[in-house]
Amino acid sequence: MEQTLSSRSFRPSSPYKPSDGMRKRWRRTSSPGPQTLLQPSPAAVETSPAVLTFPAPSLALDDPIYSISLSSVKQVHTRILKAAETRSSKSAIDFLIQIYSKFGDFRSAAAVFFIALHFDTLSWSYLIDSFDGAGETSTRELLEIFRELHSIGITLSVGILRRALRNCAELVDFWLGSQIHAHVTKAGLANETYIRCSLLDFYARCCSSESADRLFEESSFTEDSILWNNFIVLNVERGKWIEALELFRMMQLVGLEADEVTVAKALHACGRLEAVKQGKAIHGHVIRSGSFLYALVNNSLISMYSKNSLVKLARRVFEYMGGRTLVSWNSIISCCSLNGFLEDALELFRDMVAFGAEPDLVTWNCLISGHSHHGSPHQTFELLRKMQEEGFQPNSSSITSVLRPITHSGLVELGKTIHGYAIRHGLDRKVFVGTALTDMYVRCRNLSNARSVFHSMKQRNVLTWNSMISGCAHEGLFDEALQLMEQMEGEGEQPDLTTWNGLISGYSIHGRSSQAVVLIHQLKANGVVPNVISWTAVISGCCRNGRYEDAIYFFREMLSEGVQPNSVSVACLLRACAGMALLGKGRELHCFAARRDLDDDIFVATALIDMYAKSGSLAEANRVFEKLEHRNLASWNAMIMGFAAHGRGEAAISLFDRMCEEGIKPDGITFTAVLSGCRQSGLVTQGWKLFDGMKGFGVTPTLEHYTCMVDLLARCGYLDEAWDFIQSMPLEADAGIWGSLLAACRTHRNVELAEMAAKQLFQLEPSNPANYVSMMSIYACENRWEDAEDVRDAKNAAGVESRGGWSWIEINQTVHAFGVEGRPPHPDTGEIYFELYRLVSEMRRRGYVPDTSCIAHHIGEEEKEKLLLSHTEKLAMAYGLICTGEGTAIRVIKNTRVCSDCHTVAKYMSQMTGREILLRAGSRFHHFRDGRCSCNDFW
């Protein structure tokens, strides 16, 4: 008898009546009659009195006595046959099927089931229910029993065949699944709708999505809505969201009805793709078709709008839906929470309780996750505490959410506390918790603890590896990072582009940008396509190390490689333009960002404010700031710092007050910016008021804030108050504080206090030539030449070499540098000096007297005046006047503080030529116009 599958459908609940042919087949292969199918072979039976004493109904599958051998089980089988009352017992038959399967004797298990089926003792549903949800081993056992039943010619129903295909998909058993496909084709069942759905799922899991696509296209049932619904859901589950939405659109065109599950899945795809237009179209379909009556669809609409940050539309769906479930409440709370509407989320939480819906762990996790993204660490931990008070124990999702703000705030000690909780409750063994802990320690630069967590993890995913590799690379431990990559590959986890980007970023941060770019090109040669993150890491690394020209070069190379920049890469390049004060390049980049709709991005807009402010165009910076609809703290800080750098202290304070009125809470950077404005403008009273009010905003003063106050007091001549302030500080003064005091002592000619400040600086910064030069200048001003020579001798004995100042000016998008060490003199040096001598002669006629007090050399006045003429900012200003037309503003950048003589010369130049001259000296701007400076001679 040929083994084929009959097309006759079989209901699992109905008794099966074997044909005469099948009876004969069993007789030939096993025994003379159906009843003897339950009887084991006599040769297999061994004497085992202990086993024979147990009645069948009391037998347990995990009883150790039955783990001895298969022959012992067959002895029990024989005893059951002899006992008439247990022969037809369902529990005895269940035991035999399970124990035979356990020993791998699937033929005997199938034979027992066959007879039980014949005598109506068991049904097909029993076989599926017995093995359902019991793991991979039981799934394989069930497939083996199916195989044995089929081998004896039993006709399997559509439901059983679907279950078999599902098992093959779960086990990725391609060959058995292919055999089933062949059998259903021979039996004429291949086009049966549910069989076709199971085949689609099988091929998608075991072969490829393309195989499932071909099977769907070959189907003759193009108007079968069940098949379409199933295939759309399958595409969504496989991450093929664009294809799923296209299928959904085609399904509507051919007039087929999508069920609520398919609609929900299509909305999920819209959320993942941030496809608002398509999502709204599906929303319209939902209203027309009446699918809005289903809670599943409404919940999916809320989720879709949430992922597209359309909170108002999500709330409208929630308000109009009927029959809100716990999932509905959790969806809308998650929507508000994750989009930063924290107060709305908490209000919805209270409404939920008021309406009688009981919050569950998911509800609390939604609140905690939202606050971890948009709130403060304190708020996140307070929610965690309240959750525990309500009787909910944090799970892995809770812990990973709580670790997020710790990671970004650098609160490593608090992170250790959470780590201890995770260990005590066994959560550290979860791969996501272990990854979050590793990442937290890496970002807090505690690599030893990160290693401990990493090596204690029994399971790691690619995120775990990436975090550890990136951490080593960022600390400059490149050999260890490369060893981890080798270990990663050895454990079967292939490095992805994120892995390589972590290494590229590490190289760039440590000033090895060329090596990072070589790695990018090697990846491309090996078939891995570097993305915008790869190139942005290089550009960012260059900016971080002050290699702004290299950043611009690599940006151009990125464009030549066909990689389109994103908001982060544009923001990084704007930082390079700000560092070099390249106003022309910055304006070009602004246009570039506008053409790509990137200028409204908050990061790009903040970088534009910073670039324009540092390039001398405060008006353009303010225009960008005022145009912003939604400002974050960083944009406020950038604008306040811009006012401060340009000596607009009162404007900085006014903007600070406006920020507070709009409900933006200042941080430490804000106070550094506004206090800098006070010190640049000599606003002592306002400075004290702001400093004293810091704690009211929850900000603890740091050394930067103390430096601002010391500089403010000392610049204004309150040197004794500055000294007392330093002595009363709760923190130990650093070089910045003593340097501010020394600079003020030079201005106010207080030698005694200068010597005390210099003594501290020589201990803190023995290799900084600026400290020696400042002290020599102070002695020179007092004609204490011997003391000046002693300082010079000490500098030479310490092996400290003086670094000259340099200046540059940008003309026609070309940078002309003066005084840069290692570069030849400017080719137009002769013409520049000729123009400078001419200008100085005219200045002398107008009353200019050179100020040689900044020359710390014991030489004649004439020689000192010649040295003054060689100051790089004078050369740059003179060259700007030569090369630019009348009315053009002159913009000069200098790396150090401007001397008093150059400051005076700039005022005369602006008066004589009618030009506006902008001089950036260090971080301070001077605007010269009509013989006056914006600093009012206070710098």
Side-chain angles (χ1 to χ4, degrees):
M1 176 178 174
E2 185 180 353
Q3 295 182 30
T4 59
L5 289 175
S6 170
S7 61
R8 182 179 57 185
S9 177
F10 175 78
R11 292 191 180 93
S13 59
S14 63
Y16 174 74
K17 305 298 182 183
S19 64
D20 293 337
M22 289 184 187
R23 294 178 188 274
K24 292 177 182 178
R25 174 177 171 78
W26 272 97
R27 292 190 185 102
R28 288 197 303 268
T29 57
S30 298
S31 58
Q35 183 178 352
T36 58
L37 288 173
L38 284 169
Q39 185 173 355
S41 169
V45 179
E46 297 175 359
T47 303
S48 182
V51 176
L52 295 175
T53 59
F54 284 89
S58 65
L59 301 176
L61 190 59
D62 57 353
D63 199 311
I65 198 167
Y66 302 121
S67 62
I68 300 172
S69 66
L70 180 61
S71 61
S72 301
V73 176
K74 292 191 176 184
Q75 290 180 42
V76 177
H77 188 166
T78 303
R79 186 170 181 81
I80 291 172
L81 289 174
K82 292 178 179 179
E85 68 277 5
T86 59
R87 186 182 303 167
S88 59
S89 168
K90 183 177 178 180
S91 60
I93 295 172
D94 174 68
F95 169 79
L96 288 171
I97 293 173
Q98 296 282 347
I99 198 68
Y100 276 129
S101 298
K102 181 180 178 181
F103 280 100
D105 188 355
F106 301 107
R107 184 167 183 77
S108 295
V112 173
F113 176 75
F114 174 76
I115 295 302
L117 196 66
H118 173 65
F119 288 105
D120 295 338
T121 306
L122 296 178
S123 66
W124 282 102
S125 59
Y126 154 80
L127 195 61
I128 295 173
D129 294 341
S130 297
F131 290 89
D132 198 22
E136 181 179 335
T137 303
S138 293
T139 303
R140 290 192 180 279
E141 292 172 359
L142 183 59
L143 273 179
E144 291 297 334
I145 293 175
F146 284 161
R147 192 199 302 269
E148 290 295 338
L149 290 170
H150 172 65
S151 68
I152 62 174
I154 291 180
T155 302
L156 302 177
S157 71
V158 169
I160 298 300
L161 289 169
R162 289 186 65 201
R163 179 54 190 255
L165 282 168
R166 190 178 105 187
N167 287 3
C168 290
E170 290 173 356
L171 299 173
V172 197
D173 192 334
F174 177 74
W175 294 112
L176 182 56
S178 300
Q179 289 175 344
I180 295 173
H181 188 182
H183 284 303
V184 297
T185 302
K186 290 178 183 178
L189 293 172
N191 287 329
E192 201 278 334
T193 299
Y194 292 105
I195 289 288
R196 178 70 65 165
C197 292
S198 297
L199 285 169
L200 286 173
D201 182 65
F202 163 73
Y203 280 111
R205 292 197 191 190
C206 294
C207 191
S208 65
S209 297
E210 289 73 18
S211 300
D213 292 340
R214 283 197 300 272
L215 186 63
F216 179 76
E217 291 168 4
E218 293 168 1
S219 174
S220 59
F221 291 88
T222 54
E223 297 184 1
D224 190 330
S225 61
I226 296 174
L227 190 65
W228 279 84
N229 283 318
N230 182 270
F231 195 53
I232 291 171
V233 171
L234 183 63
N235 273 275
V236 174
E237 290 175 348
R238 302 289 291 176
K240 299 180 69 174
W241 302 307
I242 295 175
E243 292 84 350
L245 290 178
E246 179 61 22
L247 283 166
F248 187 85
R249 187 186 67 84
M250 292 172 61
M251 187 178 184
Q252 307 312 306
L253 290 175
V254 298
L256 296 177
E257 183 180 351
D259 60 24
E260 66 274 14
V261 176
T262 304
V263 173
K265 291 292 184 181
L267 288 168
H268 174 75
C270 292
R272 296 302 298 265
L273 292 169
E274 297 184 1
V276 182
K277 185 178 179 180
Q278 292 89 331
K280 287 182 176 179
I282 296 174
H283 191 174
H285 167 80
V286 166
I287 295 172
R288 291 190 299 273
S289 65
S291 299
F292 62 88
L293 298 173
Y294 295 101
L296 173 64
V297 173
N298 284 312
N299 295 340
S300 298
L301 279 168
I302 293 169
S303 178
M304 183 273 293
Y305 284 128
S306 171
K307 289 174 181 175
N308 286 285
S309 301
L310 298 173
V311 180
K312 288 183 178 179
L313 291 177
R315 292 205 66 166
R316 193 176 302 169
V317 172
F318 179 77
E319 288 165 3
Y320 282 98
M321 72 178 290
R324 295 168 185 165
T325 64
L326 178 60
V327 176
S328 308
W329 284 102
N330 287 345
S331 297
I332 193 63
I333 290 172
S334 175
C335 170
C336 293
S337 186
L338 293 178
N339 282 286
F341 295 86
L342 303 181
E343 290 300 324
D344 290 355
L346 291 170
E347 183 182 354
L348 282 164
F349 179 82
R350 290 189 288 268
D351 290 345
M352 176 185 184
V353 176
F355 277 96
E358 289 291 334
D360 63 356
L361 185 58
V362 175
T363 318
W364 285 102
N365 282 343
C366 288
L367 288 172
I368 292 171
S369 179
H371 281 76
S372 73
H373 279 94
H374 304 286
S376 67
H378 172 75
Q379 291 172 316
T380 307
F381 302 138
E382 182 64 19
L383 280 170
L384 184 70
R385 185 186 63 80
K386 288 182 178 178
M387 182 183 81
Q388 290 176 289
E389 288 178 355
E390 292 294 325
F392 293 99
Q393 288 301 314
N395 61 4
S396 57
S397 178
S398 316
I399 297 299
T400 53
S401 293
V402 170
L403 286 172
R404 186 179 293 109
I406 293 174
T407 299
H408 295 293
S409 304
L411 305 173
V412 67
E413 292 303 320
L414 195 54
K416 289 178 180 178
T417 303
I418 301 298
H419 187 182
Y421 178 91
I423 292 173
R424 290 192 300 272
H425 292 81
L427 294 172
D428 60 317
R429 293 190 291 270
K430 304 286 186 180
V431 65
F432 290 109
V433 174
T435 301
L437 285 166
T438 303
D439 191 57
M440 182 268 293
Y441 284 123
V442 163
R443 291 179 184 268
C444 292
R445 305 194 68 176
N446 191 331
L447 211 57
S448 59
N449 281 3
R451 289 191 190 99
S452 299
V453 175
F454 178 81
H455 291 301
S456 68
M457 293 176 66
K458 294 181 180 179
Q459 289 183 327
R460 308 181 187 105
N461 58 19
V462 67
L463 298 176
T464 320
W465 288 101
N466 288 349
S467 181
M468 197 66 222
I469 290 168
S470 176
C472 292
H474 282 214
E475 292 296 324
L477 305 173
F478 299 110
D479 290 339
E480 184 177 349
L482 292 170
Q483 288 173 3
L484 282 169
M485 289 184 74
E486 291 180 5
Q487 184 182 347
M488 177 182 182
E489 292 176 328
E491 294 187 14
E493 195 76 62
Q494 289 301 313
D496 59 7
L497 186 55
T498 305
T499 318
W500 293 107
N501 283 345
L503 198 58
I504 291 167
S505 179
Y507 282 129
S508 303
I509 287 171
H510 288 275
R512 298 165 70 172
S513 300
S514 299
Q515 196 166 348
V517 174
V518 169
L519 182 56
I520 286 176
H521 291 307
Q522 287 177 347
L523 287 175
K524 190 174 180 182
N526 292 331
V528 179
V529 181
N531 59 9
V532 65
I533 298 173
S534 314
W535 286 100
T536 301
V538 178
I539 295 167
S540 177
C542 291
C543 291
R544 182 170 178 166
N545 290 287
R547 298 170 60 181
Y548 303 120
E549 292 178 90
D550 288 346
I552 295 172
Y553 172 82
F554 289 130
F555 184 83
R556 288 172 177 160
E557 188 172 353
M558 178 182 76
L559 293 178
S560 68
E561 292 285 337
V563 178
Q564 292 302 310
N566 59 11
S567 58
V568 179
S569 50
V570 171
C572 286
L573 196 65
L574 283 168
R575 180 182 171 190
C577 294
M580 298 179 68
L582 299 178
L583 184 61
K585 292 284 185 189
R587 284 171 174 162
E588 283 184 9
L589 197 56
H590 189 174
C591 295
F592 178 90
R595 288 195 299 272
R596 286 161 173 77
D597 294 325
L598 295 173
D599 57 328
D600 289 332
D601 181 89
I602 189 64
F603 297 105
V604 174
T606 302
L608 281 168
I609 295 167
D610 185 59
M611 182 275 296
Y612 280 125
K614 289 181 178 176
S615 299
S617 184
L618 192 62
E620 287 180 275
N622 197 42
R623 272 198 296 273
V624 174
F625 176 79
E626 294 297 340
K627 184 184 173 183
L628 274 176
E629 293 183 8
H630 304 288
R631 306 180 186 98
N632 62 5
L633 181 59
S635 56
W636 286 96
N637 287 347
M639 195 65 241
I640 294 171
M641 189 64 81
F643 281 127
H646 286 262
R648 301 270 305 274
E650 292 181 353
I653 295 172
S654 176
L655 191 62
F656 173 84
D657 293 337
R658 177 181 159 193
M659 181 186 80
C660 295
E661 289 171 2
E662 292 191 16
I664 305 297
K665 185 180 178 181
D667 63 356
I669 298 173
T670 316
F671 279 101
T672 300
V674 71
L675 287 173
S676 294
C678 292
R679 72 173 179 175
Q680 301 287 12
S681 303
L683 305 175
V684 178
T685 303
Q686 295 91 325
W688 271 120
K689 182 179 178 182
L690 287 163
F691 183 82
D692 292 337
M694 287 178 66
K695 291 184 179 178
F697 290 96
V699 179
T700 302
T702 64
L703 280 173
E704 287 186 348
H705 305 116
Y706 284 107
T707 301
C708 289
M709 287 305 299
V710 170
D711 194 33
L712 171 60
L713 294 170
R715 281 186 189 220
C716 293
Y718 301 108
L719 296 177
D720 292 335
E721 287 83 350
W723 174 264
D724 293 339
F725 184 78
I726 293 172
Q727 301 307 310
S728 64
M729 281 169 45
L731 304 173
E732 186 175 353
D734 66 352
I737 288 176
W738 292 115
S740 297
L741 184 62
L742 180 62
C745 289
R746 178 179 174 181
T747 302
H748 297 287
R749 304 183 70 167
N750 189 322
V751 180
E752 182 183 358
L753 207 55
E755 288 176 335
M756 290 190 285
K759 182 180 179 181
Q760 297 292 330
L761 286 168
F762 293 154
Q763 293 177 351
L764 293 169
E765 294 182 330
S767 300
N768 187 353
N771 300 325
Y772 296 94
V773 173
S774 294
M775 201 62 220
M776 286 189 291
S777 297
I778 291 171
Y779 283 134
C781 287
E782 303 298 321
N783 291 319
R784 294 173 56 173
W785 298 109
E786 289 185 4
D787 292 329
E789 287 300 322
D790 288 342
V791 174
R792 183 177 283 107
D793 292 340
K795 178 175 77 74
N796 294 333
V800 179
E801 295 184 4
S802 297
R803 295 191 296 268
W806 43 258
S807 302
W808 76 68
I809 184 171
E810 183 186 8
I811 299 174
N812 296 328
Q813 298 207 8
T814 301
V815 174
H816 298 267
F818 300 87
V820 178
E821 189 175 353
R823 289 191 180 184
H826 196 278
D828 297 325
T829 298
E831 186 180 356
I832 293 169
Y833 272 107
F834 181 82
E835 176 66 13
L836 191 56
Y837 274 109
R838 187 188 70 78
L839 290 168
V840 170
S841 298
E842 177 63 26
M843 290 176 203
R844 286 180 184 274
R845 284 195 293 270
R846 296 182 179 230
Y848 162 67
V849 177
D851 182 359
T852 60
S853 62
C854 61
I855 305 296
H857 295 281
H858 193 22
I859 54 178
E861 285 297 309
E862 186 175 345
E863 293 298 318
K864 288 182 179 180
E865 289 180 13
K866 288 182 180 178
L867 288 176
L868 285 176
L869 284 176
S870 65
H871 281 194
T872 58
E873 56 264 55
K874 289 189 179 79
L875 298 175
M877 288 187 291
Y879 189 67
L881 292 171
I882 293 171
C883 297
T884 59
E886 292 185 7
T888 305
I890 306 297
R891 299 174 186 273
V892 175
I893 311 302
K894 181 177 173 60
N895 68 324
T896 60
R897 187 176 186 269
V898 63
C899 74
S900 58
D901 185 70
C902 290
H903 191 269
T904 302
V905 166
K907 288 196 290 185
Y908 273 105
M909 283 184 176
S910 67
Q911 184 183 46
M912 290 162 47
T913 63
R915 302 279 198 100
E916 180 184 355
I917 298 175
L918 187 142
L919 174 63
R920 191 180 95 178
S923 60
R924 175 68 189 268
F925 280 89
H926 299 267
H927 292 259
F928 300 94
R929 182 180 293 171
D930 299 326
R932 299 185 63 183
C933 180
S934 59
C935 71
N936 295 320
D937 297 334
F938 182 85
W939 84 99

